[in-house]
Amino acid sequence: MTTTQLNRKLGSAPIRRNLDPADRGKWKRFWLLIAIAAVALVPIAGTFVLSLRGNNGTGDFTLENFVHVIVDTQVVAWLLNSLQVTLATVVVSVLVAAPAGYVLSRGRSRLVEGYSLLLFVIQSLPVITSVIPLFILFSGMGLADNLIGITVLYVGSSMSVATWMMASYMDGIPGSLEEASWIDGASVFGSFWHIVLRNSLPGILSTAIFTFLMAWNDYLVASIFLRSSGTFTLPIGVQTFFQQHSTDWGSVMAVAVIMMLPPALVFATMNKYFSVGGVAGSLAGR
Amino acid sequence: MAVLIAPSVILLLLTNAYPIVYAAFQSVHDGSLINAGDFVGLDNFARVLSGEAFWKAAGFTLVFTITGVFGSWLAGLGIALVLQQKVPARGLIKTLLLLPWVVPVVVSSTSWNWLLSTDSSPIPTLFRSLGLGEVRFLSDPFLAQVTVCLFIVWLNFPFMMLMMSAALTSVDESVYEAAKIDGASPRQQFMYMTLPIIAKPTYISWVLMTIFCVNEFPAIYLLTHGGPVGSTSTLVVLAYRTVFQNFQTGPGVAIAFIMTIALATVATFLFRQIRKSRVE
Amino acid sequence: MNNNSSLVSNVSRRGFLSLAGAAALTASLSACAAGGGSSASSGTLKFWDMPWGTSVYATEAEKLAKSFTGAGNVKDVSYQQVLWNGFNETYSSAIASKTGPAVSTGGGFQAFQFAAQGAVEYADKLIESFKSNGLYDDFLPNVLDAMKTPQGSVAVPWAVDIQTLWYRKSVLEAADVAAPTTWTEFIEAGKKIAAKGYYAWGISGGSGNFGPMAILSLMINNGGGLFNDGGDLDIVTDRNTETSEFVIEAVKAGLTDPGAVSLKDDDLVTQWTNKKIGMGFYYVGLDEAIGDNDVVVMDPLKGPHGDTGTIQYVNNIMMYKNTPSQEASEAFVTHYLQNMKVLWEKKLVSQLPALKSIAGASSFTGSQSNVAIVNKWQPIAKTLATKGTQSSAKLAAIDGGQAMADFCQTLLGGKTDAKSALTKLESDIKAVVSS
C-alpha cells in the first residue's frame, strides 16, 4: 500500500541532491515520511502508553508500573544480566571478527574463499536444530544456565555477519599502508593491530552495534539455555509476567519499555556510524 | 594470518560442527531428547515428506519468505529513495523508522498481540467503529497469515532501508548531472542509472533476507504459535512444534534438516551466481 | 601475499583438522559423561516446580519446599520454577545433560513420558509407605489409580486440575434464562444470552489448553473419548461426532466470540472479569481468581443420551533417577504432601487438592463452588485416557500437542463438518503416537 504510493512518488521525484531549494517538495517528503513513521510506530507507541497507564484502567498517567517492576520483581537483576551478556558479546565479537575479517579481506587463497562461503552456509542453518545438542554439550562443560555459555553462543551466532562487516570495511583500507609497515619490519599481526584496526573504527562500531542488537534481542537461545530466574535476561524475564490466568499488561509493557530503551538509545546516538551496506559489498566480492 | 583467523574457526566449530553432527544423528534415529533410540535410516524423512503438515508448512514458508523479502525490499527501497533527497530532520526520521528493527521482537510481538487479539483490542475496535464488523486478525487462518506476513515486513523493512541507503549513496552524483543534461526523465534516470548500480547489493540483500525469513522463529511463534490450525506454521515453527509439543525428535529434526539443505543449496547457488555476474 | 596465503592455507588446513578432531573428541567425551553415572551433587536436593499460581504462590511453595529438614546425605533443598513456556524442552534437555531435578511437579503426563524413557524412579515403594502414615486413605477417589502403568506407579498425585462449567448469575438473569441442565438447554439459553450482547459460551482456542480441555470435557460428558475400552485410539465414533456437531452448532448460533480461535487463556479470564461471558468451562477457583461471587459453578449437564462427565488431569510429583539419594527424594515428597495445605489455605492454587483432608478443610469449603466441584463434578471426572483405563507416555504428546489444538481451532472456526474434523484429529494423533 505505502510502497505503491512511494513508487508512484518515485516517478515524480527527481533523484538528485543539487542545491536548488525544492522547498515544497522537501516538506512534502517530510510529511510523507512522518506519516509512514507514525503508522509504523503505532505498536511501539502503544507499548509506551500502556506502560504509563494505571492498572485500574483509569488511563491516568502514572509511573506506578515502573516502580512496581523495579521494586517488586527481579527486573533490575535481569537488566544487569542482559547488559553483561550483551557487552561481553560485543567485545568478544569484535575481537574475533576483526582479525577474521582482515584475513577474509586480504586473503586471496581458495581456503579463505571457502571459509567465506562456509560462514554463509552456517548463517543459513536454523538455530532450532542445534540448540538442544549445544545445550547437552554445554551442560557437560558447565556452561548451561550461565551467562558465559550464552555469551559464547551469541558470539558464535553473530560471527558470520560480524566478520563480513569487518571485511567490508577493511576492503576500503588500502593495502599499501600495511605493506609499508612490513617493509619497516612490523609483523603481520603488528601491522594489523597498529595500522588496520586504527583505520577501521567505523567498521568496528558498526559491528559492535549489530552484535549488540543481536544479543540484546535474542529470545530463542536464551529461552532454552537460561533456567533459573537469577540468570534470566530481559526477554525471558518478561515471560514470567504471562501467568496462566492473567497477564499483567502494565508490568509487561513497563518491562518492554525498559527492554527497548537501550537499543533505541544506542541507535539514536550512534546511528551515523552504523551501516550494514558494506555487508553486501563484502559478500559480492570485488 | 592463521593466528588472526583461528579464534573465529574455533568458535565456528564449537557452536556449529558438533550440533550439526548430532542433529544428523538424531534425524536417522527414533530417539527422544533424552535417549538416542534405534537407527531407523531415512524413515523419519519418509514420514515427514508423506505428511500433509510438511507440505502445508513448506507452502507457507514460501509465501512468507517471498512476501518478507520483496515487501520489505520495496518498502525499504522506497523510503531510502525519498531519504536520498533533501528532507528536513533526516537523521531523526531515519532513527524513528529504524525502531521496528531495533526493538526486541519479544516486545513488538507483545504489542502486536495487544493491538489485534481480543474484542477490546484497538484494531478490532477501530474496525467495528468503521462499520466493518467483527474482524479478528489472528483467528481466521487466512487473515492470520496476512498478519504474520505484515509483521515480518514491518520487522525487516528498516534493515532493507539501511542496505538500500548504503547502495544509493555509492551512486555518483555527476552521473545524474550528466543524465539531466542529456534530458533523461526521472523515471529513465531511475531505470537506467540507479537500478543497475544498486542491482548487486539488492541481490545480496534478497539472499540475506531469504535466510532471515526462512529461519524466523520468534516473530511467528510469539505472535500466533503457528496457528490457527497450523496455518502460520513455517517449517521452522513446524520443526519446533514437532520436537517440543509432539515430542517427535527424529521427525522434527528431519524437517529442520530438509529445510536447511534446501535453503543452503538455494542460497549458495544464488550467492555464486551473484559473485560470478560482474555487474559493473 | 601469495607466499603468505599458502602458509595460511597449510597451517589452517592442519588447524582445521586438529580442531575437527578436538570437537569430535569433546563430543564423544560429553556423550560418555551423559551415559555415565549420576552427577547429581550430594547434599542438596533439587526440586523444580511450575508456576501453578502467581508470584505469591512461588514464594509460598519455595518456603514449603525449603522447610524440608533433610534425610540421608541430603541437608537442604533448592527450589526452582520452570516457566510453562517450553517447559518440556527445559526438562528434556536438563535430563539429557544430567542437570535435571531430583523431584519435580510438571505437566500432567510428563512422568509417564520420562518413565518410558527411563529417567523416572517409580513411586510404588513410596505409595506403599503412605499406608502407614495415613496419607494413603486421604487421596480423593481414582487419583492414585491414574498414576498406574504396567511397570508401576510413575508419580504421586498432589492436585487435580478439573474442568467444570461456570456461569455468571447476573448475565443469565439479564437474559431471563435459568442455568441449563442439558445440551439442548445450553444452546437455547446461549442464544438468548448472545442476543443480549454477551459471549454466551466463553472459550479460548489460542495458545494454552483451555479450548481443547473444554471440548474433551464435552466428549467425556457424552460418554465418548479419544480411546476405546481396550485403550486403542478410536476417535471417529458416533458419540464424538455428536459432540463435535454440538460445538459447531454452538459456534454457528453465535454463542462464542468470533475471535475465540486465537484468544489466549488470559484473554478469556479478562473477558470473565469484564462481565462479557455468560457460561463456560474453567477450572477450580474462577470466583476467587476474579474476586467475584457473581460467577458460580453449574451442575453437570446431561448429554443427549443422559450421560454426565468431565475431564480431569491428575497433577503429580515425580522422582527422578538422577538424585543424590532416593531415600531423600521419598522423604521430601512425603513432607511436601503432608504440609502443602498452606497453598489452599492461602488460595494460591486453582486446582482441587488431591487430599480429602485439605478438600474438606473449612478454608476450602468456604466457597460454595468448591463444594459443588468436590461433590458433584469430581466423582464423574475421567482422564484423557478415557475410555481406556491406563495412562501412558503417548498422552503427553496428545495433551498440549498440535493435534488437539488444531482440532479445537477447526471446530471453533465453524467452517467444518464433524466427521472430517474428527478424521483429521485421528490421523494427526496416530502420526504422533505411533512413533
Side-chain angles (χ1 to χ4, degrees), chain A residues 176-224:
Chain A
S176 52
L177 280 181
E178 64 247 48
E179 278 156 28
S181 75
W182 293 342
I183 292 164
D184 295 343
S187 65
V188 170
F189 185 80
S191 77
F192 161 73
W193 191 255
H194 293 294
I195 310 277
V196 183
L197 270 194
R198 192 162 296 175
N199 286 307
S200 45
L201 195 66
I204 290 176
L205 279 176
S206 266
T207 309
I209 294 171
F210 169 81
T211 46
F212 178 94
L213 281 185
M214 199 232 80
W216 186 267
N217 294 359
D218 166 77
Y219 165 79
L220 178 61
V221 175
S223 74
I224 291 176

Side-chain angles (χ1 to χ4, degrees), chain B residues 109-129:
Chain B
S109 63
T110 303
S111 28
W112 274 62
N113 242 316
W114 171 79
L115 278 170
L116 295 166
S117 62
T118 70
D119 53 337
S120 49
S121 300
I123 305 277
T125 309
L126 178 74
F127 272 67
R128 252 200 313 275
S129 62

Side-chain angles (χ1 to χ4, degrees), chain C residues 191-435:
Chain C
K191 286 179 183 162
K192 287 181 185 151
I193 295 168
K196 290 277 177 204
Y198 297 100
Y199 300 129
W201 179 11
I203 183 167
S204 57
S207 69
N209 251 347
F210 274 17
M213 280 186 192
I215 288 170
L216 284 164
S217 169
L218 287 167
M219 276 186 181
I220 293 172
N221 184 169
N222 193 24
L226 300 179
F227 300 88
N228 60 19
D229 302 340
D232 298 316
L233 267 188
D234 189 10
I235 293 176
V236 195
T237 61
D238 292 350
R239 292 295 176 96
N240 289 347
T241 308
E242 250 175 6
T243 306
S244 308
E245 277 165 355
F246 169 75
V247 176
I248 296 165
E249 184 189 355
V251 170
K252 285 191 171 153
L255 268 61
T256 54
D257 177 351
V261 170
S262 62
L263 280 188
K264 295 185 168 61
D265 296 353
D266 53 74
D267 297 329
L268 191 71
V269 180
T270 309
Q271 290 187 343
W272 273 108
T273 311
N274 298 343
K275 307 191 170 160
K276 288 186 173 172
I277 293 179
M279 312 179 284
F281 285 92
Y282 197 80
Y283 31 65
V284 180
L286 176 62
D287 47 354
E288 281 155 6
I290 64 176
D292 188 343
N293 286 330
D294 191 25
V295 290
V296 290
V297 167
M298 211 183 274
D299 284 354
L301 293 181
K302 280 199 167 54
H305 306 274
D307 307 87
T308 57
T310 187
I311 187 147
Q312 68 173 9
Y313 292 80
V314 180
N315 284 316
N316 48 71
I317 304 183
M318 58 209 85
M319 302 176 288
Y320 297 85
K321 291 204 163 123
N322 185 25
T323 173
S325 140
Q326 180 54 27
E327 180 200 351
S329 288
E330 292 181 3
F332 174 80
V333 176
T334 309
H335 166 85
Y336 199 89
L337 286 170
Q338 284 170 333
N339 296 283
M340 67 183 184
K341 196 173 188 167
V342 65
L343 302 177
W344 280 272
E345 280 170 349
K346 299 196 174 176
K347 305 198 189 317
L348 302 174
V349 183
S350 49
Q351 302 181 58
L352 289 182
L355 300 174
K356 293 180 213 160
S357 58
I358 303 177
S362 57
S363 55
F364 191 76
T365 54
S367 154
Q368 273 308 300
S369 292
N370 282 352
V371 177
I373 294 171
V374 173
N375 294 337
K376 292 177 179 164
W377 285 87
Q378 207 267 328
I380 57 166
K382 300 190 172 96
T383 68
L384 186 62
T386 305
K387 295 183 276 186
T389 47
Q390 288 221 322
S391 299
S392 66
K394 60 187 173 192
L395 295 179
I398 297 175
D399 173 39
Q402 243 171 283
M404 264 321 286
D406 284 359
F407 173 66
C408 168
Q409 290 171 352
T410 307
L411 292 189
L412 290 181
K415 293 176 183 147
T416 177
D417 68 281
K419 266 269 175 359
S420 55
L422 285 165
T423 310
K424 183 170 184 303
L425 174 64
E426 185 163 70
S427 70
D428 284 355
I429 290 185
K430 274 205 173 112
V432 173
V433 299
S434 64
S435 58

Side-chain angles (χ1 to χ4, degrees), chain B:
Chain B
M1 281 264 184
V3 173
L4 294 178
I5 205 165
S8 161
V9 176
I10 292 171
L11 258 169
L12 204 69
L13 285 173
L14 173 71
T15 52
N16 290 289
Y18 172 76
I20 291 168
V21 172
Y22 191 96
F25 175 89
Q26 284 178 314
S27 72
V28 291
H29 286 73
D30 66 349
S32 63
L33 293 175
I34 297 174
N35 295 330
D38 302 320
F39 179 76
V40 291
L42 294 178
D43 197 27
N44 289 326
F45 289 88
R47 270 178 60 186
V48 163
L49 290 172
S50 63
E52 176 197 359
F54 175 86
W55 295 105
K56 204 171 141 185
F60 182 64
T61 307
L62 206 63
V63 172
F64 174 79
T65 304
I66 290 171
T67 330
V69 171
F70 293 105
S72 59
W73 176 69
L74 283 173
L77 175 63
I79 294 170
L81 282 167
V82 179
L83 278 170
Q84 276 306 100
Q85 304 157 64
K86 257 208 168 65
V87 180
R90 182 188 294 149
L92 174 74
I93 289 179
K94 209 170 171 173
T95 307
L96 283 179
L97 284 169
L98 279 170
L99 281 178
W101 183 62
V102 171
V103 166
V105 73
V106 173
V107 173
S108 41
S109 63
T110 303
S111 28
W112 274 62
N113 242 316
W114 171 79
L115 278 170
L116 295 166
S117 62
T118 70
D119 53 337
S120 49
S121 300
I123 305 277
T125 309
L126 178 74
F127 272 67
R128 252 200 313 275
S129 62
L130 293 174
L132 295 167
E134 292 287 342
V135 185
R136 298 296 158 72
F137 287 86
L138 301 175
S139 303
D140 176 82
F142 174 72
L143 284 181
Q145 290 184 333
V146 172
T147 307
V148 167
C149 289
L150 276 176
F151 188 41
I152 196 75
V153 169
W154 181 86
L155 282 172
N156 284 325
F157 83 85
F159 175 81
M160 284 293 198
M161 178 180 91
L162 284 176
M163 282 283 230
M164 292 296 112
S165 281
L168 287 169
T169 42
S170 67
V171 178
D172 195 355
E173 278 312 311
S174 58
V175 177
Y176 287 120
E177 295 304 321
K180 254 194 19 215
I181 291 162
D182 293 345
S185 72
R187 184 177 301 258
Q188 284 172 319
Q189 285 179 33
F190 178 74
M191 292 303 293
Y192 300 107
M193 329 249 12
T194 313
L195 265 185
I197 295 177
I198 62 167
K200 204 164 208 176
T202 293
Y203 296 145
I204 293 281
S205 69
W206 285 353
V207 177
L208 280 181
M209 193 50 72
T210 302
I211 293 172
F212 290 160
C213 287
V214 173
N215 282 332
E216 182 55 63
F217 175 78
I220 301 175
Y221 192 76
L222 293 170
L223 192 63
T224 65
H225 284 263
V229 202
S231 60
T232 57
S233 287
T234 56
L235 286 170
V236 171
V237 177
L238 183 71
Y240 179 90
R241 292 173 80 191
T242 308
V243 174
F244 298 120
Q245 289 176 344
N246 294 345
F247 313 138
Q248 298 171 282
T249 313
V253 173
I255 292 170
F257 240 76
I258 296 168
M259 184 195 107
T260 303
I261 292 163
L263 178 65
T265 311
V266 169
T268 313
F269 171 75
L270 290 174
F271 186 57
R272 290 218 139 137
Q273 289 303 101
I274 294 164
R275 291 188 81 143
K276 266 191 221 150
S277 71
R278 289 272 173 209
V279 189
E280 293 302 349

